[in-house]
Amino acid sequence: MNGNMSEYINKFYDLQAEATKEVMKMTFFLNYGGIAATLTAFGSSFFRIHSRPLISCLVIFLVGLAFAVFMAIELRTFAFDMFSKATEPSATKEELETAVKNHRGRRTVYGLCIASLAFFASGIIVGFIVLVTSF
């Protein structure tokens, strides 16, 4: 195996090691923060009586959290698939680059990232609307 392939193997190994942690830092904690804020708002007497808007916020953040978890799983799968391909004795640099470009994981991760952040943003918007209308 030549030096270039060992470089790819190291890159994909590092990606496997960091994939879940980095994705979770970016999206999981954002949506978790929204869930925590929504649950805290249930302590207000107004929101105990009118809980429907808060439940909708909670559902929005939970869906965003689900997208974040699926994104982490997909990123980990992509990294493992590419690591496995790079460690094959017959793998070449060109084959590996083609496999990276054609793997469905790249597009899926981008889509899930956008969806998670969109639900986070939607939860924030709905939360502000609920907060303003509660006064």
Side-chain angles (χ1 to χ4, degrees), residues 41-132:
F42 276 109
S44 166
S45 59
F46 172 82
F47 288 125
R48 274 191 237 142
I49 296 168
H50 306 287
S51 62
R52 179 173 250 167
L54 279 183
I55 291 172
S56 65
C57 284
L58 188 61
V59 168
I60 290 170
F61 283 121
L62 285 173
V63 172
L65 185 62
F67 277 112
V69 170
F70 288 131
M71 179 177 48
I73 292 169
E74 188 61 39
L75 184 58
R76 182 91 175 146
T77 302
F78 170 73
F80 179 75
D81 289 348
M82 294 301 101
F83 174 76
S84 298
K85 179 79 172 164
T87 56
E88 291 177 0
S90 62
T92 65
K93 181 180 174 182
E94 293 78 25
E95 288 176 346
L96 190 59
E97 288 174 352
T98 302
V100 168
K101 288 178 186 174
N102 294 333
H103 195 281
R104 71 173 176 82
R106 290 180 59 209
R107 292 180 295 278
T108 306
V109 168
Y110 290 138
L112 291 171
C113 178
I114 290 168
S116 179
L117 294 175
F119 276 102
F120 173 69
S122 299
I124 293 295
I125 291 168
V126 171
F128 278 128
I129 291 171
V130 169
L131 185 62
V132 168

